[in-house]
């Protein structure tokens, strides 16, 4: 175990473990790998380190997503862009 | 979620922060136009987890298909759960029945206007399998439980957006997960639509808030037609606003409808049957009243159902459920206020057209074409088994049959794990865009407001009262509402549990359904089943089925209406296109069960028996079906006349009783009052007489009509007799010959019974058992309500005891309000078993409180078992009376604990008590039972009390002192009323 690892809080370790499991689950499902990565990066940048509740919420979401990705009937994920959204006033 | 507590700021209730703070609310990801769409693959997808969906899913998983069930509601919360009636099945376990008869009934009902519930009820009861009034509930729970046994994948709280169509075949659905707003594409070989009806397109409907016709709308968006949407079944009395059903039994019990002027308006529309007129007549009359501005409430858009003129105890006894429902859903106390009601959507006969296997079809170039991969079942589908009107308790049957049929058809034509056609990468993009568009809709009209506008337009223009102008105006209004969809405002921009968005999606679906319904209804220029037009009152078939088929040339399909409407719609503009599809006339196997021709010329069977009970006969004789509608209506009028006569006869009975027993029942203590009341009585008698005459005239007219029609009506002979009886009665009324009227009345009843018996042999529109039930209840209610008009004696008890042998009511009768209040100092049995064994009936044994006993062989009442030779019984009478006589009825039973010895009553004394705590009381007399006399013996009281007595004590000596004998008695107390009870 590196020195860095020992310095991490429980929550941080949890996040990393969830991330790792997510990537593993996403392996053979097209679209998910990139999806997981980008979401992780985006949240890592956007969420403050001390915003524990939000992080816990995201963890729960991630757990759900792992469940979804490991579902044998789930094939892939793709991004669909919505067209003709009304202009906001 | 969790409120975020920022330093130095206190979280205030009412200012809840549902998200994590401003910082994260409008991030790029939240407002991004990019949606992640997850792809799933299954062998089959079922949309909807109501009865049909679960049945199909359960059938599929049982065959090994990987199945997903997508539902916006938890399965057991579907609307199926609310089905109370039951499910039809010709089991033949109650009486002889055959599924072919069931088919016949279904076909017959499908062609004619709706029949009142209370007319229908009994006729089906024996075919209708039910779990109390929770059949749907129990069916749904069973199915859900079963499907969990297998490996069925539920996607609960997923809102299906659209079908995924590729090359004219269905390859799955796209759905929105309401919890987190994620979007899922379900690719599958087969898709089953089981989304239910669209009752919510109307302002008043009995169905759940979730019945928004999602499946039919999805089919429309996929470019597929919907069939027969104009056929919508209505129930006349649903609670205003809530839509809960108020049973028609209310009107059977004597309730009636009133408008804003307090007028009992049904008298104008159906002078004879009044509020008991058939379902469609009542519904239409209500709608006309509302349309002419005589509705009640702030919008003047409903009427009142008045029940509070009925005695409260009758309401409590006969309509307990209604009292409760009215209180909960309308806040109305039925004993004091009227219930706001209006015609309410009950069932949608139309839906996505399917064949008998549940496969969705389109109609091209005169041929039905199966849409591959798409099935529909339940209320969402339209295999057209209900035709233009659904038979009661057939909806649950539809669910299981077509749910199962879908599963069967799929398992026959597919194998689990088969290859599925590919989806194009952009499949479902339009749905996502549509959802996104609504999510950011930024117009002027809130979803709820537009929905209400639509519902009111539909309720006012496409409900029961359908006529050209009204429908045309409705089309304009609904189109206008449709156009306003572009100007919607959705306030919630989020994705997690965005109910605003989901309701808007549902509104979109409702709009599609409503538009097609009203356009189809406008186009159908005839009356058929539930679609009854004022301007085209007749059914238009290809030939006139009331005449002989020979020599008639069938009209081409363009000129008649015996065809299915197929409606498609341009979703963008709302423009509806109608096409028509011929009706399939023949059954699948004509050899096994021949079809029921639309209506038939009449070869009366040689025997003259109209409905043969032998099962060999393939079908009931169709000769009755000729013009079944007219037949039905004629019969209704006839029935109405019957009721009215009975009402009059009932009041005659009351007057007669009054006059015959001035002391017993006369409520006026003073002579002058008595005189004036006698005058009054005379006046009433003469009005009664004129009423009878009037009735007779109507009767004759109906009779004439009947005779004019070529049909033989086996009851007619009886009717003539009945008529003679009535005229006889009229003359008696004139003569004030009251005793003979009583006799006459009785005979009339016998004649009537006879009539019922005879007419039950034939099966014209109405089931005769039902008629019997109705008349029975009518008679009962008359018996109850008529004397009640003057005072409240225990009159139902009177009916049971036939005024006993003294001409005076039994005031001790329990069902009339009398009760055993004490059994002081008496020994009794402590073991119910032994008591039951000794007496052979359940009796009140040792207990702190009296026990209700209902034994079919005994008149309902309390029995109380006394051990030993003497006992005492304090009875509280139903009201204070001057006791004049008591009846001591001995019920001979040949039982005793030691052997077979006749029971032997001996003597008793009666005391009048001032209260139930009074120990002495006034002695009324000692009486001895005559061993060799009648089983019932009446004894006149020796010391008639000066004041009315409420408590009476019997001190009984039984068995001539022999401890082992056992006796059964029934005690009655008769007396005179001196004052009007308060």
């Amino acid at each position: 175990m590196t020195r860095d690892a020992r310095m991490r809080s429980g929550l941080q370790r949890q996040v990393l473990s969830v991330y790792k499991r997510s990537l593993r689950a996403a392996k053979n499902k097209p679209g998910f790998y990139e999806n997981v990565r980008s979401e992780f990066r985006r949240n890592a940048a956007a969420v403050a380190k001390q915003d524990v509740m939000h992080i816990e919420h995201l963890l729960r979401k991630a757990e759900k997503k792992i469940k979804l990705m490991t579902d044998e009937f789930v094939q892939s994920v793709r991004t669909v862009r919505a067209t003709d959204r009304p202009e906001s006033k | 979620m969790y409120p975020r507590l920022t330093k130095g700021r206190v979280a205030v209730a009412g200012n809840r922060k549902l998200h994590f703070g401003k910082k994260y609310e409008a991030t790029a990801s939240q407002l991004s136009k990019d949606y992640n769409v997850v792809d799933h693959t299954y062998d089959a997808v079922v949309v909807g987890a109501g009865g049909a969906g679960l049945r199909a899913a359960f059938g599929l998983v049982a065959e090994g298909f990987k199945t997903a069930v997508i539902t916006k509601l938890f399965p057991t919360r579907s609307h199926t759960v609310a089905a109370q009636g039951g499910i039809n099945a010709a089991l033949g376990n109650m009486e002889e029945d055959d599924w072919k008869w069931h088919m016949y009934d279904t076909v017959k009902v499908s062609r004619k206007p709706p029949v009142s519930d209370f007319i229908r009820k009994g006729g089906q009861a024996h075919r209708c399998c039910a779990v109390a009034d929770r059949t749907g509930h129990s069916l749904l729970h069973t199915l859900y439980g079963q499907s969990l046994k297998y490996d069925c994948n539920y996607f609960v709280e997923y809102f299906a957006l659209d079908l995924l169509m590729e090359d004219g075949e269905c390859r799955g659905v796209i759905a929105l997960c309401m919890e987190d707003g994620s979007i899922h594409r379900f690719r599958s070989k087969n898709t089953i639509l089981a989304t239910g009806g669209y009752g919510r397109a109307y302002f008043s409907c009995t169905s759940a808030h979730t019945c928004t016709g999602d499946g039919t709308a999805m089919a429309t968006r996929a470019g597929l037609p919907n069939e027969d949407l104009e056929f919508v079944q209505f129930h006349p009395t649903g609670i205003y606003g809530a839509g809960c059903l108020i049973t028609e039994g209310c009107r059977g019990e004597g309730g009636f409808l009133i408008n804003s002027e307090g007028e009992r308006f049904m008298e104008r529309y159906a002078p004879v049957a009044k509020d008991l007129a058939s379902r469609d007549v009542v519904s239409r009359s209500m709608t006309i009243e509302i349309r002419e501005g005589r509705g009640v409430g702030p919008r003047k858009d409903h009427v009142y159902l008045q029940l509070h003129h009925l005695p409260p105890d009758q309401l409590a006894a006969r309509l307990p459920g209604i009292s409760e429902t009215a209180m909960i859903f309308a806040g109305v106390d039925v004993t004091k206020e009227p219930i706001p009601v209006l015609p309410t959507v009950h069932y949608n006969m139309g839906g996505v057209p399917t064949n008998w296997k549940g496969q969705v079809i389109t109609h091209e170039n005169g041929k039905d074409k199966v849409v591959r991969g798409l099935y529909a079942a339940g209320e969402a589908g339209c295999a057209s088994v209900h035709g233009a009107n659904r038979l009661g308790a057939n909806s649950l049957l539809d669910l299981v049959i077509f749910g199962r049929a879908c599963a069967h058809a799929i398992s026959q034509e597919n194998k689990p794990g088969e290859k599925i056609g590919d989806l194009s990468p952009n499949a479902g993009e339009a749905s996502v865009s549509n959802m996104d568009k609504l999510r950011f809709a930024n117009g002027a009209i809130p979803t709820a407001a537009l929905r209400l506008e639509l519902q009111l337009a539909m309720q006012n223009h496409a409900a029961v009262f359908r006529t050209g102008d009204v429908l045309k105006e409705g089309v304009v209004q609904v189109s206008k509402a449709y156009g306003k969809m572009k100007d919607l405002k959705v306030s919630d921009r989020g994705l997690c549990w965005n109910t605003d968005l989901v309701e808007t999606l549902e509104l979109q679906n409702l709009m599609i359904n409503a538009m097609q319904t009203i356009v189809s209804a406008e186009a159908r220029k005839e009356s058929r089943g539930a679609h009854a037009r004022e301007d085209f009152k007749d059914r238009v078939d290809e030939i006139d089925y009331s005449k002989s088929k020979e020599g008639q040339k069938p009209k081409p399909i363009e000129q008649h209406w015996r065809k299915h409407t197929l409606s498609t719609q341009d979703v963008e503009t709302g423009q509806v296109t109608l096409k028509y599809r011929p009706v399939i006339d023949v059954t699948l196997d004509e050899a096994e069960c021949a079809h029921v021709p639309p209506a038939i010329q009449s070869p009366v069977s040689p025997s003259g028996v109209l409905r043969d009970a032998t099962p060999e006969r393939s079908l009931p004789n169709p000769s009755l079906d000729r013009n079944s509608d007219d037949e039905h209506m004629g019969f209704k009028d006839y029935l109405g006349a019957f009721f009215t006569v009975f009402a009059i006869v009932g009041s005659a009975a009351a007057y007669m009783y009054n006059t015959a027993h001035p002391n017993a029942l006369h409520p006026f203590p003073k002579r002058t009052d008595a005189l004036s009341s006698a005058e009054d009585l005379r006046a009433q008698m003469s009005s009664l007489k004129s009423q009878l005459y009037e009735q007779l005239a109507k009767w004759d007219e109906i009779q004439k009509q009947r005779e004019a029609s070529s049909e033989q009506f086996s009851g007619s002979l009886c009717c003539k007799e009945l008529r003679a009886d009535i005229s006889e009665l009229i003359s008696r009324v004139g003569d004030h010959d009251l005793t003979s009227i009583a006799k006459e009345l009785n005979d009339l009843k016998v004649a009537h019974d006879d009539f019922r018996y005879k007419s039950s042999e034939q099966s014209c529109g109405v089931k005769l058992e039902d008629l019997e039930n109705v008349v029975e209840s009518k008679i009962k209610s008359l018996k109850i309500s008529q004397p009640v008009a003057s005072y409240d004696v225990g009159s139902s008890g009177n009916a049971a005891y036939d005024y006993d042998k003294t001409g005076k009511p039994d005031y001790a009768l329990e069902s009339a309000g009398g009760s055993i209040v004490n059994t002081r100092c008496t020994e009794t049995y402590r073991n119910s078993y032994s008591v039951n064994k000794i007496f052979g009936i359940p009796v009140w044994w040792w207990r702190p409180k009296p026990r209700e006993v209902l034994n079919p062989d005994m008149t309902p009442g309390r029995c109380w078992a006394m051990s030993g030779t003497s006992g005492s019984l304090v009875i509280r009478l139903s009201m204070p009376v001057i006791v004049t006589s008591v009846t001591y009825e001995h019920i001979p039973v040949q039982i005793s604990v030691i052997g077979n010895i006749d029971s032997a009553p001996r003597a008793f004394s009666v005391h009048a008590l001032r209260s139930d705590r009074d120990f002495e009381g006034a002695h009324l007399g000692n009486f001895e039972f005559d061993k060799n006399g009648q089983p019932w013996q009446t004894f006149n009281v020796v010391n008639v009390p000066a004041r009315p007595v409420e408590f009476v004590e019997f001190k009984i000596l039984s068995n001539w002192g022999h401890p082992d004998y056992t006796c059964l008695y029934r005690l009655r107390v008769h007396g005179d009323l001196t004052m009007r009870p308060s």
Side-chain angles (χ1 to χ4, degrees), chain B residues 485-501:
Chain B
M485 285 295 291
K486 293 200 169 73
D487 195 24
L488 269 182
K489 178 173 179 57
V490 174
S491 351
D492 190 351
R493 301 273 184 261
L495 271 172
C496 302
W497 268 113
N498 187 345
T499 47
D500 202 5
L501 172 65

Side-chain angles (χ1 to χ4, degrees), chain B residues 471-491:
Chain B
L471 285 167
K472 280 201 185 94
E473 191 191 327
V475 172
V476 173
Q477 285 200 11
V478 175
S479 316
K480 225 165 95 191
Y482 200 98
K484 286 186 189 168
M485 285 295 291
K486 293 200 169 73
D487 195 24
L488 269 182
K489 178 173 179 57
V490 174
S491 351

Side-chain angles (χ1 to χ4, degrees), chain B residues 828-841 843 845 865 895 897:
Chain B
T828 178
Y829 297 91
R830 292 210 164 222
N831 186 318
S832 68
Y833 173 74
S834 68
V835 173
N836 264 308
K837 204 173 167 193
I838 296 166
F839 295 100
I841 55 162
V843 290
W845 47 289
I895 39 164
V897 279

Side-chain angles (χ1 to χ4, degrees), chain B residues 493-510:
Chain B
R493 301 273 184 261
L495 271 172
C496 302
W497 268 113
N498 187 345
T499 47
D500 202 5
L501 172 65
V502 172
E503 279 183 32
T504 311
L505 289 164
E506 285 175 342
L507 176 62
Q508 223 174 23
N509 294 341
L510 284 179

Side-chain angles (χ1 to χ4, degrees), chain A residues 35 42 46-48 51 53-54 64 73-86 88-89, chain B residues 2 24 29 31-37 39-42 66 153 179 185 429 433 436-437 440 442:
Chain A
N35 183 286
R42 193 180 61 232
V47 181
D51 199 349
M53 271 190 213
H54 192 188
K64 266 193 178 166
F73 301 109
V74 171
Q75 248 74 60
S76 58
V77 69
R78 68 182 69 231
T79 308
V80 172
R81 170 155 296 201
T83 52
D84 61 272
R85 174 186 294 186
S88 61
K89 281 175 192 166
Chain B
Y2 307 96
Y24 303 117
S29 74
L31 296 180
S32 153
K33 288 183 181 179
D34 291 335
Y35 289 85
N36 287 327
V37 178
D39 282 324
H40 305 246
T41 307
Y42 284 92
K66 301 291 178 207
N153 299 274
E179 191 190 4
R185 290 199 312 190
E429 257 176 28
S433 291
D436 184 73
K437 192 173 84 187
F440 289 93
N442 209 1

Side-chain angles (χ1 to χ4, degrees), chain B residues 640-671:
Chain B
F642 221 97
F643 288 156
T644 320
V645 167
F646 263 89
I648 293 167
V649 165
S651 47
Y655 293 133
M656 179 204 75
Y657 194 77
N658 269 350
T659 334
H661 307 284
N663 290 335
L665 289 164
H666 218 290
F668 307 104
K670 281 191 206 150
R671 195 180 155 71

Side-chain angles (χ1 to χ4, degrees), chain B residues 567-835:
Chain B
S567 51
T568 47
Q569 191 177 10
D570 178 345
V571 179
E572 200 45 48
T573 63
Q575 190 64 41
V576 177
T577 314
L578 298 181
K579 280 206 280 183
Y580 293 94
R581 170 179 167 233
V583 171
I584 298 174
D585 279 324
V586 291
T587 58
L588 288 173
D589 185 354
E590 285 283 321
E592 186 182 14
C593 176
H595 70 278
V596 183
I600 293 90
Q601 68 284 23
S602 45
V604 175
S605 54
S607 66
V609 177
L610 293 167
R611 179 161 178 166
D612 196 335
T614 49
E616 286 86 46
R617 249 161 45 82
S618 66
L619 271 179
N621 193 315
S623 63
L624 291 158
D625 202 13
R626 191 191 74 83
N627 263 350
S628 62
D629 300 5
D630 305 346
E631 186 99 8
H632 179 73
M633 295 310 290
F635 200 76
K636 247 331 142 34
D637 286 348
Y638 191 71
L639 249 182
F642 221 97
F643 288 156
T644 320
V645 167
F646 263 89
I648 293 167
V649 165
S651 47
Y655 293 133
M656 179 204 75
Y657 194 77
N658 269 350
T659 334
H661 307 284
N663 290 335
L665 289 164
H666 218 290
F668 307 104
K670 281 191 206 150
R671 195 180 155 71
T672 44
D673 285 358
L675 271 177
S676 71
S677 85
E679 278 302 311
D680 191 34
L681 205 68
R682 201 165 298 147
Q684 279 175 331
M685 281 296 229
S686 62
S687 87
L688 184 70
K689 204 171 148 186
S690 63
Q691 276 183 53
L692 273 171
Y693 271 123
E694 205 179 297
Q695 209 47 53
L696 208 59
K698 272 177 199 153
W699 190 282
D700 282 346
E701 202 180 318
I702 293 161
Q703 197 53 43
K704 225 177 276 164
Q705 281 172 10
R706 292 220 67 83
E707 277 159 12
S709 71
S710 58
E711 287 312 303
Q712 193 205 347
F713 181 59
S714 64
S716 60
L717 191 68
C718 258
C719 294
K720 270 182 204 149
E721 284 165 15
L722 217 52
R723 187 200 178 284
D725 286 346
I726 290 170
S727 33
E728 177 81 15
L729 192 63
I730 290 175
S731 65
R732 292 289 162 79
V733 171
D735 300 344
H736 295 268
D737 184 359
L738 296 161
T739 8
S740 59
I741 294 181
K743 204 175 146 281
E744 207 64 34
L745 275 171
N746 207 23
D747 293 350
L748 207 67
K749 203 172 159 285
V750 173
H752 169 246
D753 286 342
D754 192 21
F755 164 73
R756 266 179 2 221
Y757 169 68
K758 281 189 186 155
S759 41
S760 67
E761 284 173 359
Q762 49 149 6
S763 73
C764 36
V766 229
K767 286 277 167 120
L768 267 298
E769 300 98 310
D770 313 333
L771 167 58
E772 193 173 320
N773 288 343
V774 178
V775 174
E776 205 87 80
S777 75
K778 195 72 202 165
I779 290 171
K780 260 188 211 155
S781 75
L782 279 173
K783 279 215 169 122
I784 291 168
S785 59
Q786 291 305 332
V788 163
S790 44
Y791 19 48
D792 200 351
V793 289
S795 16
S796 60
N798 293 346
Y801 273 105
D802 215 4
Y803 305 118
D804 214 314
K805 326 295 172 195
T806 58
K808 287 170 190 175
D810 173 18
Y811 291 94
L813 186 76
E814 192 221 350
S815 54
S819 57
I820 300 171
V821 291
N822 208 340
T823 56
R824 51 203 185 192
C825 310
T826 317
E827 270 187 72
T828 178
Y829 297 91
R830 292 210 164 222
N831 186 318
S832 68
Y833 173 74
S834 68
V835 173

Side-chain angles (χ1 to χ4, degrees), chain A:
Chain A
M1 210 178 272
T2 63
R3 193 182 140 80
D4 275 0
R6 251 179 287 137
M7 297 278 287
R8 281 182 191 126
S9 69
L11 190 63
Q12 282 170 321
R13 283 208 297 273
Q14 240 177 303
V15 169
L16 285 175
S17 125
V18 163
Y19 184 41
K20 203 164 159 187
R21 282 196 291 132
S22 298
L23 288 176
R24 237 176 235 153
K27 232 175 195 171
N28 296 320
K29 313 249 165 162
F32 276 116
Y33 198 87
E34 298 72 23
N35 183 286
V36 167
R37 249 171 63 134
S38 69
E39 198 166 322
F40 180 83
R41 298 265 147 110
R42 193 180 61 232
N43 285 329
V47 181
K49 213 193 277 180
Q50 60 273 48
D51 199 349
V52 176
M53 271 190 213
H54 192 188
I55 296 170
E56 282 176 346
H57 165 71
L58 291 170
L59 276 176
R60 284 192 296 275
K61 262 177 85 172
E63 288 289 355
K64 266 193 178 166
K65 194 159 188 177
I66 292 172
K67 218 174 142 196
L68 179 80
M69 289 185 292
T70 47
D71 184 337
E72 56 171 319
F73 301 109
V74 171
Q75 248 74 60
S76 58
V77 69
R78 68 182 69 231
T79 308
V80 172
R81 170 155 296 201
T83 52
D84 61 272
R85 174 186 294 186
E87 291 299 308
S88 61
K89 281 175 192 166

